[in-house]
Amino acid sequence: MSVWDDVVGQEQAVAQFRRAASPEGSLAQAWLITGPPGSGRSTAARAFAATLQCEHGTGCGACRSCRMVLANTHPDVTVVATDKLSISKDDVRALVLTAQRAPATGRHRVLVVEDADRMSAGTFNVLLKSIEEPPPSTVWMLCAPSAEDLAPTIKSRCRLVSLSVPSSQVVAELLVRRDGVDPQLAERSARAAQGHIGLALRYATQAGALDAREESARTLLGLRGAGEAVMAAQALVERATSEAKAHSDAVAEEEKAAFLRSAGIDDGKVPPSLRSQVKQLEDDAKRRQTRLVRDVLDRYLLDAHSVLRDVLTVQIGSGGELVNPGVEAEIRRAAGTGEGRITLGLLEAVQEARARIAGNVPPLLAIEALLARIAVAQR
């Protein structure tokens, strides 16, 4: 057993981390871990943090320090993740203060920032001084999709480690070994997830998730008019909003209940002095819902991209493996009635829709425009 067992398909990166953590290695105090969504950035960062704290110096996964890091209970390892649109300056200021403290029990004070790309330019400025001149025992680990997502002043002070998209075979093997998934289901889920480990696990363990994905693919390939496209877009956005609201409301309720307990309030009546804090929790819930809606829609757009790519694969006769074998008949039918250059344009339109939603264009408008273009192309 090792803390690195779940970091799959990243042999070069793992070797770099292990070398840096060894007595003979050169340990940088600021790291930037990049890679596509689902490649295992945060998993790699936690494994590296565990290795740095490991009682044997190897990331054995069995000692008390390794187990505490992986369980997120080690006093010298702080992990910051956000389900909102951005990481606030206050969050980063708290991190900077933590970074100045000497380790309580371990050899290092380790700070892991997942989704570091969600920091604003002003927030980067708060972080810069601590990244430039950290205390000798402090190690920063920033995770982001790309080095370009961070301010140049930050990335220039970090040692870069780039992760790649793991193969579907490697992801399937992980699901079988770690989660006990049936091998055939694991392979099907890994192919559908296109190397995204978290999505592959969701497809393999959440009842109906794969079937719903394939039904969405059939709907996409069956669009034949602007009216159908508008209705499909509206249904999709409503479903995404409903899913996001349910999750956000549940988290908000838990946070409010925890706050009221900590304040000693058991009758639900919030005194005026605490109402601003309750209002802050409500505002956080709204931002969380906005982020979740975008995430759900982006997941749909990535699925749509994979379906259109399968269509293009058939059209050009490359012989490549289909990502969506469950809808192969529909894919071949669409390929036979269209042209490769048009499909290529639709693939670009999907990426444009993703960029629009990320740039705060109303999701319904972006999805309607995309699906209408797909529907017209498939007439």
Side-chain angles (χ1 to χ4, degrees), residues 59 79 211 214 244 257 264 278:
V79 179
D211 292 339
E214 292 177 355
V278 173

Side-chain angles (χ1 to χ4, degrees), residues 130-155:
S130 188
I131 291 286
E132 281 183 322
E133 300 176 6
S137 58
T138 295
V139 178
W140 286 91
M141 301 180 194
L142 310 180
C143 304
S146 166
E148 303 307 314
D149 294 321
L150 271 66
T153 51
I154 295 291
K155 67 182 181 183

Side-chain angles (χ1 to χ4, degrees), residues 24 42 74 78 89 97 345 378:
E24 302 79 22
S42 59
H74 197 289
T78 303
K89 287 184 180 180
L97 290 176
Q378 294 180 152

Side-chain angles (χ1 to χ4, degrees), residues 168-169 171-177 180-192 200 204 210:
S168 58
Q169 180 181 355
V171 174
E173 290 172 355
L174 174 66
L175 296 181
V176 173
R177 169 176 56 81
V181 177
D182 174 78
Q184 288 187 337
L185 176 59
E187 181 180 356
R188 183 181 167 206
S189 300
R191 286 173 65 181
L210 262 181

Side-chain angles (χ1 to χ4, degrees), residues 202 206 236-249 289 292-293 295-297 299:
R202 176 177 177 270
Q206 185 172 320
L236 175 63
V237 173
E238 286 177 353
R239 186 166 69 247
T241 303
S242 175
E243 180 180 332
K245 187 176 187 307
H247 177 77
S248 180
D249 286 350
Q289 180 175 330
L292 289 172
V293 169
D295 286 349
V296 171
L297 293 176
R299 190 168 68 220

Side-chain angles (χ1 to χ4, degrees), residues 66 83 111 137-138 177 179 185 190 234 247 296 353 357 367-368:
C66 282
D83 55 5
L111 301 106
S137 58
T138 295
R177 169 176 56 81
D179 305 297
L185 176 59
Q234 184 173 355
H247 177 77
V296 171
I357 292 174
I367 299 294
E368 280 182 353

Side-chain angles (χ1 to χ4, degrees), residues 15 26 87 110 142 151 158 178 202 227 238 264 270 285 300 335 355 365 374:
S26 172
I87 299 175
V110 182
L142 310 180
C158 297
R178 184 189 66 185
R202 176 177 177 270
E238 286 177 353
V270 181
Y300 170 81
L365 292 180
I374 293 174

Side-chain angles (χ1 to χ4, degrees), residues 25-365:
S26 172
L27 178 62
Q29 289 187 264
W31 295 77
L32 174 54
I33 304 171
T34 65
S39 58
R41 298 186 303 258
S42 59
T43 302
R46 289 171 189 264
F48 188 27
T51 302
L52 292 177
Q53 305 291 11
C54 178
E55 295 163 18
H56 306 290
T58 60
C60 65
C63 70
R64 183 170 179 269
S65 293
C66 282
R67 295 198 308 271
M68 289 178 71
V69 173
L70 296 183
N72 205 27
T73 58
H74 197 289
D76 297 324
V77 177
T78 303
V79 179
V80 172
T82 184
D83 55 5
K84 298 189 284 289
L85 290 173
S86 62
I87 299 175
S88 71
K89 287 184 180 180
D90 288 342
D91 291 335
V92 175
R93 287 192 184 101
L95 272 183
V96 169
L97 290 176
T98 300
Q100 300 305 310
R101 298 204 300 263
T105 62
R107 291 190 295 273
H108 302 278
R109 170 73 60 184
V110 182
L111 301 106
V112 179
V113 182
E114 300 179 7
D115 301 313
D117 55 304
R118 295 189 182 274
M119 290 189 285
S120 66
T123 306
F124 282 132
N125 291 335
V126 174
L127 180 64
L128 181 59
K129 183 67 174 178
S130 188
I131 291 286
E132 281 183 322
E133 300 176 6
S137 58
T138 295
V139 178
W140 286 91
M141 301 180 194
L142 310 180
C143 304
S146 166
E148 303 307 314
D149 294 321
L150 271 66
T153 51
I154 295 291
K155 67 182 181 183
S156 66
R157 289 161 174 78
C158 297
R159 183 177 296 178
L160 177 64
V161 178
S162 298
L163 306 185
S164 57
V165 178
S167 68
S168 58
Q169 180 181 355
V170 167
V171 174
E173 290 172 355
L174 174 66
L175 296 181
V176 173
R177 169 176 56 81
R178 184 189 66 185
D179 305 297
V181 177
D182 174 78
Q184 288 187 337
L185 176 59
E187 181 180 356
R188 183 181 167 206
S189 300
R191 286 173 65 181
Q194 303 174 77
H196 192 301
I197 298 172
L199 269 183
L201 179 61
R202 176 177 177 270
Y203 290 146
T205 58
Q206 185 172 320
L210 262 181
D211 292 339
R213 183 184 189 278
E214 292 177 355
E215 186 58 36
S216 293
R218 292 188 183 93
T219 299
L220 180 74
L221 295 175
L223 295 175
R224 291 297 181 271
E228 290 184 14
V230 169
M231 292 178 62
Q234 184 173 355
L236 175 63
V237 173
E238 286 177 353
R239 186 166 69 247
T241 303
S242 175
E243 180 180 332
K245 187 176 187 307
H247 177 77
S248 180
D249 286 350
V251 174
E253 192 65 30
E254 291 177 7
E255 289 182 343
K256 184 176 180 180
F259 171 74
L260 294 178
R261 284 196 303 271
S262 67
I265 301 171
D266 54 12
D267 59 359
K269 297 180 179 178
V270 181
S273 60
L274 297 179
R275 286 174 186 168
S276 62
Q277 292 168 271
V278 173
K279 177 66 164 56
Q280 182 63 50
L281 291 176
E282 294 171 351
D283 291 343
D284 286 346
K286 292 177 182 177
R287 285 190 285 269
R288 182 183 298 113
Q289 180 175 330
T290 300
R291 159 83 185 272
L292 289 172
V293 169
R294 290 184 183 180
D295 286 349
V296 171
L297 293 176
D298 195 61
R299 190 168 68 220
Y300 170 81
L301 291 173
L302 287 173
D303 290 345
H305 191 276
S306 74
V307 172
L308 293 171
R309 191 181 68 180
D310 280 349
V311 172
L312 183 62
T313 296
V314 174
Q315 287 173 330
I316 65 177
S318 68
E321 185 181 68
L322 296 183
V323 175
N324 304 277
V327 289
E328 182 174 356
E330 291 84 352
I331 287 169
R332 293 194 176 279
R333 185 158 52 248
T337 58
E339 300 178 26
R341 62 178 181 82
I342 294 177
T343 305
L344 189 60
L346 295 179
L347 286 168
E348 294 173 353
V350 172
Q351 298 291 31
E352 184 178 349
R354 295 182 66 201
R356 286 175 173 173
I357 292 174
N360 290 324
V361 170
L364 182 58
L365 292 180

